[in-house]
Amino acid sequence: MLAQVLAVIIFLAMFLLIITEKIERQYVTLGCAALTLLLVFGIGMHSMDALLETLNVRNIFTTGFWYQAGEASESTSGINWATIIFIAGMMVMVEGMARVGFFRWLCMRIAKMVHYRTIPIFITFMIMSFVLAMFIDSITVILFLAAVTVELSQLLDFNPVPMILSEIFCANLGGSATMCGDPPNIIVGTSLGYSFMDFVENTGVIAVVSMVAIVFFFYFSFRKELAGGTQKVDISKLPTPESAITDKVGFGINCVIFLCAVVLLATHAATGLTVAFIGTFIAAITLLTAPRHMGEILKKVDYKTILFFIGLFVVVGGLEQTGILVLVAGFIEKVSGGNFYLMVAIIIWVSAIASAFIDNIPFAATMIPVIQSLAETSGLSLHTMAWALSMGTDIGGSATPIGASANVVGTSVAAKAGHPVGWGEYCKKAVPATVIVLVISTVFIFVRYL
């Protein structure tokens, strides 16, 4: 009982501190992780086994962590090292691509293809944001896309805010389509043993259907504001896409590495190579092909996010080891009365509402053991609940300026360019778009899986 109380207090304290943003979130999770190890496992449980199981270091040294001949999943208890290593590897790859100017080149190339016309840029940038976010962290996608949007808005004389808001939403939506597109999906996939193609065939279908609706929604919402942009531009005075490339040889190499990563992820269920192996391999190739820039690339990796994940998994491990998450699962089952439709609706909409105001990463990590317990006791397929959880956490964060990191980055870029975006302006368009996708997701899951 003492261990359960301590685990809950530490978890709630962690959430409150993350929300207030008074202390950097990696320090919050690492501090709470230390308290979990000491107070919950040490004083409350007196269990060295629980502590070792939560740290989960020995799992890294097993063959199954790097290569799986069957469909066995990674260890779901404690620190999910597969998630940590994969995210770190992708960060290294993205920094390598950014160094050679890949993202800015892509944006300028597409703008040139549509002859720098505002409405076509608006639509193609939404689609590009969606597609890139399927494979690359949405923060990186928005960081470069928003910066280029601001640059084009100054050249073509249009308000960049509608375009940036649409790009943010589409990046979050694109991230829901694949296993590597959004951190909650990486957690779900590595914890439950789902492959890249599992996500494409399930959440990917929902995301594509939703994307069609969202393009129409944003087009009719913003067409009047964007129609005023300059349509006749002296193209000769605009920067060429090639001017964005800082290293031509490195550009070609990094394009090949990116394609290699996509192929490995798409086939990892067939090859048996785990996402931990893929992340390590891609990072190693990126660094080895740019020996003079190793230090520069490694310096820019977001180590704060990696540390945040490690601390988070330990705190959630405290809830799991003390049985709190089993109690939460039982409560959801009781509220739903065993009704599968209501149970799925609760998972989707509660996940979405929570993710609109708090970080969706800890919420997803917390809910994994919950849906596993629900699957064991209620009879509802774990697959169904996993897709519901993924869509709820991925899309819910789009509703508010603080719901996802990409939102914060995009609105910050707009503000620095002299176009601040208030809560009212943001939510006026983002909330209806979020509801549209959630309704589509709910109906799709009801029809296809129940």
Side-chain angles (χ1 to χ4, degrees), residues 363-438:
F363 187 86
T366 305
M367 286 295 293
I368 292 295
V370 171
I371 63 173
Q372 286 179 309
S373 296
L374 274 174
E376 294 172 0
T377 59
S378 69
L380 179 59
S381 168
L382 179 60
H383 299 294
T384 303
M385 288 186 284
W387 310 138
L389 176 63
S390 291
M391 292 308 299
T393 51
D394 291 339
I395 302 306
S398 301
T400 66
I402 62 170
S405 299
N407 310 9
V408 177
V409 170
T411 52
S412 296
V413 171
K416 288 179 181 178
H419 300 277
V421 181
W423 269 69
E425 182 180 4
Y426 185 97
C427 295
K428 184 179 179 181
K429 302 299 182 184
V431 170
T434 301
V435 171
I436 289 171
V437 176
L438 290 175

Side-chain angles (χ1 to χ4, degrees), residues 48-343:
M48 182 59 71
D49 289 338
L51 185 148
L52 293 175
E53 190 173 340
T54 298
L55 293 178
N56 202 23
V57 175
R58 57 191 171 192
N59 189 45
I60 300 174
F61 301 99
T62 63
T63 303
F65 184 82
W66 304 100
Y67 174 79
Q68 294 175 349
E71 296 184 355
S73 65
E74 307 291 351
S75 173
T76 59
S77 179
I79 300 176
N80 190 328
W81 289 109
T83 295
I84 302 294
I85 293 172
F86 177 69
I87 289 178
M90 290 298 101
M91 285 179 176
V92 171
M93 181 191 74
V94 166
E95 290 303 331
M97 295 172 72
R99 181 189 68 81
V100 297
F102 174 84
F103 300 106
R104 192 167 183 274
W105 168 84
L106 182 61
C107 293
M108 299 302 293
R109 170 60 63 186
I110 290 179
K112 185 177 181 179
M113 285 174 59
V114 297
H115 305 291
Y116 299 97
R117 290 175 295 171
T118 308
I119 295 297
I121 289 175
F122 173 63
I123 295 173
T124 53
F125 272 33
M126 278 196 289
I127 296 172
M128 179 168 59
S129 180
F130 177 88
V131 173
L132 282 176
M134 292 172 64
F135 307 100
I136 299 172
D137 178 61
S138 59
I139 300 172
T140 301
V141 172
I142 291 302
L143 187 62
F144 288 94
L145 202 52
V148 175
T149 298
V150 168
E151 182 179 350
L152 287 173
S153 73
Q154 294 168 347
L155 294 171
L156 306 179
D157 189 28
F158 65 84
N159 180 7
V161 171
M163 210 173 282
I164 291 174
L165 294 183
S166 303
E167 291 161 0
I168 290 170
F169 193 93
C170 291
N172 289 330
L173 182 57
S176 71
T178 66
M179 179 178 165
C180 62
D182 214 28
N185 286 13
I186 300 173
I187 294 171
V188 171
T190 54
S191 297
L192 304 181
Y194 296 142
S195 69
F196 181 89
M197 292 308 298
D198 287 333
F199 278 90
V200 171
E201 294 168 1
N202 293 279
T203 60
V205 177
I206 300 173
V208 170
V209 172
S210 300
M211 181 62 185
V212 175
I214 289 304
V215 169
F216 279 104
F217 172 79
F218 281 129
Y219 171 74
F220 287 110
S221 297
F222 292 127
R223 70 186 188 283
K224 291 182 180 179
E225 295 179 52
L226 293 169
T230 303
Q231 299 298 311
K232 294 182 179 179
V233 181
D234 185 355
I235 296 178
S236 63
K237 294 183 179 180
L238 296 175
T240 63
E242 288 69 27
S243 67
I245 300 175
T246 59
D247 179 350
K248 290 184 178 180
V249 175
F251 181 87
I253 291 173
N254 278 276
C255 285
V256 172
I257 292 173
F258 175 64
L259 292 175
C260 180
V262 173
V263 172
L264 287 174
L265 286 167
T267 60
H268 79 95
T271 62
L273 300 176
T274 66
V275 293
F277 177 90
I278 294 170
T280 303
F281 175 75
I282 292 299
I285 293 298
T286 300
L287 294 173
L288 290 174
T289 53
R292 290 183 299 173
H293 302 280
M294 277 189 184
E296 176 188 347
I297 293 172
L298 290 173
K299 186 177 180 180
K300 291 183 177 180
V301 170
D302 188 0
Y303 296 104
K304 292 181 179 180
T305 295
I306 295 172
L307 293 174
F308 166 76
F309 270 110
I310 292 173
L312 166 66
F313 282 128
V314 173
V315 176
V316 173
L319 296 177
E320 186 176 1
Q321 292 289 342
T322 55
I324 293 296
L325 299 181
V326 175
L327 296 177
V328 173
F331 176 76
I332 293 176
E333 185 178 8
K334 185 177 180 180
V335 170
S336 64
N339 185 304
F340 288 173
Y341 290 94
L342 184 56
M343 202 175 295

